[in-house]
Amino acid sequence: MEKFVFFGGKGGVGKTTMSAAYAVKCADAGLDTLVVSTDPAHSTSDVFDQQLGDEPQAVEGRDGLWAMEIDPDEEVEHHLMETKRALGDQVSAALVNEIDRQIEMAHQTPGAYEAALFDRFVDVMRSSEHFDRVVFDTSPTGGTLRLLGLPEFLEGWIDRLRRKRERSIDLFEKAAIGNNEPRRVMDGDPILARLRERKEFFEYAGRMLREHTAFFLVVNPDELSVRETRRAAAGLADRGLTVRGLAVNRLTPSPDDDEDGRGARYLRDRVATERAHLQTLREEFDQPLVAEIETRIEEVKGDFLTEVAGELDIETTPPADPPADAA
């Protein structure tokens, strides 16, 4: 199994439960494991019954397991301030206020949220040398697909900006007269340096996602969830990312054979409907089912989390050749 493992899927299907359970499974197998959540509802804190923050924190009562929760809103604000600082260093004092205004407007546009969150995801990957496995509990499908599509999109955008900047410097240098030195030179231009740094960042991210990351989709046995899972698998494939398996969550338990009340009849009808959706997943999807988890009476935490971990048919053995840049 790859070092980085992502669990995705429709909102409310149980991604936090599956990612936490798999992290427990890895830790129980002797791997130093970090589970990372971007859920603003702080569900991972609830699963482990302890308050988590923006940095890895040892999970109480679980040897070899750490957890952290990334606050998306805080990351957007941090990204905004870092962008202001980086650009503010490159322009005259007279332009700083206008630059700040433009950046604040840009951070209110579609994609700003994903860009900020993606930077933090990659930072976690790059600084994960102390962990054998990093498990990501991601946002609902649409946001995750936009997030994972950023490397390809932004790498090309950065390339175009870099070429325009090089052309601009070249024209400026050619226009220099006599002994007047050009204000910028190609080798020392800070904007070019920043663009090259970002290009390397996105190249690294794309390589980690394609070569060292496994993706699993969590699905409930209902028509809407199955349809969205189909779209998600296709969306990931379009980005060159392969879904390794489907974890089916919240299956209804069958009533005992001797039960024949109204509730039992309802449950049998429900189970029959869910089995039809399970059959669709088995026959029409290329990905194998790696879990079929029944609904629990209580919240999945503590011993229940260990039970679910035992029902996940997902490999835990670390890769023989971990990513050199993140190991």
Side-chain angles (χ1 to χ4, degrees):
M1 180 57 63
E2 289 81 354
K3 177 170 182 172
F4 305 111
V5 178
F6 279 66
F7 283 87
K10 186 176 179 290
V13 294
K15 297 183 295 296
T16 299
T17 299
M18 294 299 108
S19 56
Y22 179 63
V24 166
K25 185 181 182 76
C26 290
D28 287 347
L31 278 65
D32 285 339
T33 303
L34 171 65
V35 57
V36 183
S37 172
T38 59
D39 184 358
H42 305 302
S43 298
T44 304
S45 288
D46 296 335
V47 167
F48 292 122
D49 265 335
Q50 71 182 81
Q51 188 60 46
L52 300 171
D54 190 48
E55 295 295 333
Q57 184 176 329
V59 175
E60 297 167 4
R62 299 280 185 182
D63 292 338
L65 181 59
W66 288 258
M68 61 184 288
E69 287 181 329
I70 297 173
D71 188 316
D73 292 331
E74 285 187 8
E75 288 307 315
V76 171
E77 183 64 24
H78 174 75
H79 193 264
L80 171 65
M81 299 307 295
E82 177 61 23
T83 305
K84 282 184 177 181
R85 185 201 61 76
L87 287 180
D89 292 342
Q90 316 303 329
V91 300
S92 66
L95 290 177
V96 169
N97 288 339
E98 179 60 22
I99 290 290
D100 285 355
R101 190 178 72 84
Q102 293 292 337
I103 292 172
E104 288 178 4
M105 290 174 60
H107 274 75
Q108 297 172 19
T109 60
Y113 176 97
E114 286 81 9
L117 202 54
F118 187 80
D119 273 19
R120 188 72 173 100
F121 264 64
V122 180
D123 284 341
V124 171
M125 287 179 160
R126 282 184 135 167
S127 60
S128 65
E129 65 273 7
H130 300 300
F131 300 103
D132 302 309
R133 170 130 317 119
V134 181
V135 183
F136 289 95
D137 169 24
T138 67
S139 57
T141 306
T144 299
L145 289 177
R146 289 192 298 272
L147 191 78
L148 298 177
L150 283 177
E152 181 181 0
F153 173 75
L154 290 181
E155 192 178 330
W157 182 65
I158 292 286
D159 262 341
R160 291 190 292 275
L161 287 178
R162 180 178 55 80
R163 287 195 296 269
K164 287 181 180 294
R165 182 63 179 174
E166 289 173 348
R167 177 63 175 162
S168 174
I169 294 172
D170 182 57
L171 291 173
F172 185 84
E173 290 179 337
K174 287 177 180 177
I177 300 174
N179 294 324
N180 293 334
E181 290 291 332
R183 186 168 59 89
R184 300 288 189 201
V185 292
M186 195 78 73
D187 291 339
D189 181 65
I191 295 178
L192 265 183
R194 176 68 173 172
L195 290 172
R196 287 168 180 154
E197 176 187 318
R198 294 299 289 172
K199 178 175 169 58
E200 291 171 3
F201 179 88
F202 289 115
E203 286 175 343
Y204 168 86
R207 187 169 69 254
M208 289 300 107
L209 290 172
R210 290 189 301 270
E211 300 175 9
H212 300 288
T213 302
F215 296 90
F216 292 89
L217 293 176
V218 183
V219 54
N220 290 164
D222 62 69
E223 185 172 353
L224 291 180
S225 185
V226 171
R227 286 185 177 184
E228 181 149 345
T229 300
R230 193 190 303 276
R231 290 192 293 269
L236 287 168
D238 289 343
R239 291 161 174 79
L241 307 172
T242 303
V243 176
R244 294 281 293 275
L246 308 176
V248 185
N249 190 34
R250 295 181 180 149
L251 288 163
T252 302
S254 298
D256 293 337
D257 292 339
D258 59 351
E259 294 184 67
D260 197 35
R262 180 183 176 189
R265 292 194 296 273
Y266 166 80
L267 288 176
R268 287 194 182 92
D269 289 343
R270 175 86 181 179
V271 168
T273 300
E274 291 179 358
R275 284 179 177 169
H277 292 305
L278 271 178
Q279 194 67 17
T280 297
L281 291 169
R282 291 192 183 102
E283 294 179 353
E284 299 182 13
F285 285 70
D286 295 330
Q287 300 80 11
L289 301 188
V290 296
E292 296 180 25
I293 310 297
E294 285 191 350
T295 299
R296 263 56 177 183
I297 297 174
E298 299 179 21
E299 295 296 323
V300 179
K301 57 174 66 176
D303 292 340
F304 281 136
L305 195 60
T306 303
E307 285 182 15
V308 172
E311 295 177 33
L312 293 176
D313 186 19
I314 304 177
E315 181 59 67
T316 59
T317 305
D321 54 341
D325 291 337

